[in-house]
Amino acid sequence: MALVVICGQPCSGKSTAAICLSEALQTLDPKPTVKIIDESSFHLDRNQSYADMPAEKNLRGVLRSEVDRSLSRDSIVIVDSLNSIKGYRYELWCLARAAGIRHCVLYCDTDENQCREWNKERGVNGQATYDDKIFEDLVRRFEKPDRRNRWDSPLFELWPSKDGINQSSIAISEAVSYLTRRVDSKTRDVRILQPTIATQNVRKSEANSLYEMDQATQEVISAIVEAQSQGFGAPANRISLGPQLPTISVQRQVGLPELRRLRRTFIKLTAQSSLSGPPPPSDADSAKRMFVDYLNREIGTA
């Protein structure tokens, strides 16, 4: 049904805004399906995720992939993150356009000094905080949304340090109305993005790549399990997957739950946009090579 991009400085009230918007939507009848996507969904540490550019790109890739998988015409997806780079907000807008749904940005416009104070208060209360160096770097690089940009429009603005945030906040109420209003031929103030041929082809290509990756990684997992079973519980030091493919090198027994966890993590990390790293591999052998390299780094000896 819609994609909502929450935007703002670190510790500006974004998570509170996401929760208030979700709760306000749940008061409607019928209740829409609402999903909030944030860093905590993946148990990611905020300081590690923003420690350097590769880590930050990886974080954006993981979030973008989850958004792409979650978008549908039957649910409202709320992205609760900094979303501070206009190029990344454009990427999310493209996902909404490809899905043929509504899109809006909810901006928490909070004074920098108030954000610093709230960051300190979180530490006093035993909550996760940003390190000072990382906080200042994020503040410096923040790119404020501009409603003149199509990917920042429509733009609903909150002023948490002045007015607080609750379900009755004007911006929350306006966003709820925009997200749930019925659209007909006479509607002018609600825009449902329309996919283009280019975006449809891209989504089809990405879907095929993800399918190849899913099948290839499952074959690798099956090969490891079979090799270990033939060793009667002993680790299979070197497991071959075939000619022109790297071998898997392990010196301990690796259980199926751990292998499945590694497989899920690998798929999340590789299904990224061009902003967040290389695209998913387009053929099975390439996917197997990447997955084996990943496994060898995580559990291997080579």
Side-chain angles (χ1 to χ4, degrees), residues 134-181:
I134 292 177
F135 181 91
E136 295 302 329
D137 179 60
L138 292 173
V139 168
R140 177 182 60 82
R141 293 190 291 111
F142 181 76
E143 296 176 339
K144 185 176 179 178
D146 184 344
R147 58 171 39 91
R148 292 174 296 182
N149 298 326
R150 52 184 175 172
W151 56 86
D152 289 334
S153 178
L155 179 64
F156 303 105
E157 297 184 70
L158 288 164
W159 291 272
S161 58
K162 298 178 181 178
D163 306 327
I165 307 176
N166 52 62
Q167 293 184 34
S168 60
S169 296
I170 294 177
I172 297 290
S173 299
E174 290 178 343
V176 170
S177 175
Y178 180 83
L179 295 169
T180 59
R181 196 177 312 158

Side-chain angles (χ1 to χ4, degrees), residues 13-298:
K14 298 183 298 300
S15 294
T16 301
I19 292 172
C20 286
L21 177 58
S22 176
E23 291 177 346
L25 289 166
Q26 293 301 315
T27 63
L28 303 177
D29 186 21
K31 294 181 179 180
T33 300
V34 181
K35 179 177 182 177
I36 297 178
I37 297 175
D38 56 13
E39 288 93 337
S40 62
S41 304
F42 301 94
H43 308 288
L44 298 172
D45 179 87
R46 61 182 59 191
N47 288 308
Q48 292 179 359
S49 298
Y50 293 101
D52 51 42
M53 291 309 298
E56 186 174 335
K57 286 182 178 180
N58 180 69
L59 168 65
R60 292 200 298 268
V62 170
L63 293 176
R64 181 193 181 281
S65 297
E66 184 63 22
V67 170
D68 198 13
R69 283 192 291 270
S70 302
L71 290 181
S72 73
R73 301 197 180 191
D74 301 316
S75 63
I76 297 175
V77 175
I78 302 174
V79 189
D80 174 20
S81 186
L82 292 177
N83 298 317
S84 57
I85 298 176
K86 60 183 179 181
Y88 183 61
R89 293 198 297 271
Y90 173 74
E91 286 270 326
L92 296 176
W93 177 83
C94 287
L95 292 180
R97 181 178 63 176
I101 59 176
R102 308 181 199 198
H103 164 277
C104 70
V105 175
L106 183 59
Y107 172 41
C108 293
D109 189 355
T110 307
D111 180 74
E112 292 179 10
N113 290 327
Q114 183 62 68
C115 292
R116 291 187 183 91
E117 184 63 29
W118 283 345
N119 188 46
K120 292 178 181 177
E121 289 180 3
R122 289 176 63 89
V124 173
N125 296 330
Q127 298 174 293
T129 64
Y130 291 95
D131 293 342
D132 290 343
K133 182 179 179 181
I134 292 177
F135 181 91
E136 295 302 329
D137 179 60
L138 292 173
V139 168
R140 177 182 60 82
R141 293 190 291 111
F142 181 76
E143 296 176 339
K144 185 176 179 178
D146 184 344
R147 58 171 39 91
R148 292 174 296 182
N149 298 326
R150 52 184 175 172
W151 56 86
D152 289 334
S153 178
L155 179 64
F156 303 105
E157 297 184 70
L158 288 164
W159 291 272
S161 58
K162 298 178 181 178
D163 306 327
I165 307 176
N166 52 62
Q167 293 184 34
S168 60
S169 296
I170 294 177
I172 297 290
S173 299
E174 290 178 343
V176 170
S177 175
Y178 180 83
L179 295 169
T180 59
R181 196 177 312 158
R182 286 186 174 274
V183 178
D184 55 33
S185 59
K186 298 180 180 179
T187 304
R188 294 291 181 267
D189 54 352
V190 175
R191 183 185 180 193
I192 298 178
L193 301 177
Q194 298 299 319
T196 63
I197 294 177
T199 56
Q200 288 176 324
N201 289 341
V202 168
R203 287 182 66 84
K204 182 177 180 180
S205 175
E206 289 181 351
N208 290 339
S209 296
L210 291 174
Y211 175 79
E212 291 288 351
M213 185 190 306
D214 183 79
Q215 296 298 307
T217 53
Q218 184 57 56
E219 289 179 15
V220 173
I221 294 298
S222 298
I224 296 174
V225 172
E226 182 179 357
Q228 292 185 145
S229 65
Q230 291 177 354
F232 303 101
N237 292 336
R238 301 186 69 83
I239 303 172
S240 176
L241 297 174
Q244 299 183 350
L245 289 174
T247 58
I248 306 168
S249 305
V250 293
Q251 287 189 338
R252 63 179 177 87
Q253 185 78 9
V254 185
L256 184 58
E258 182 179 1
L259 290 171
R260 286 174 174 169
R261 177 181 59 79
L262 290 167
R263 176 174 174 268
R264 288 195 302 268
T265 302
F266 171 78
I267 291 175
K268 287 179 182 178
L269 295 178
T270 53
Q272 299 180 6
S273 69
S274 59
L275 280 180
S276 307
S282 57
D283 62 276
D285 283 349
S286 295
K288 288 179 181 179
R289 278 191 287 269
M290 289 179 63
F291 188 40
V292 170
D293 289 341
Y294 173 78
L295 290 176
N296 283 333
R297 289 195 303 270
E298 295 295 320

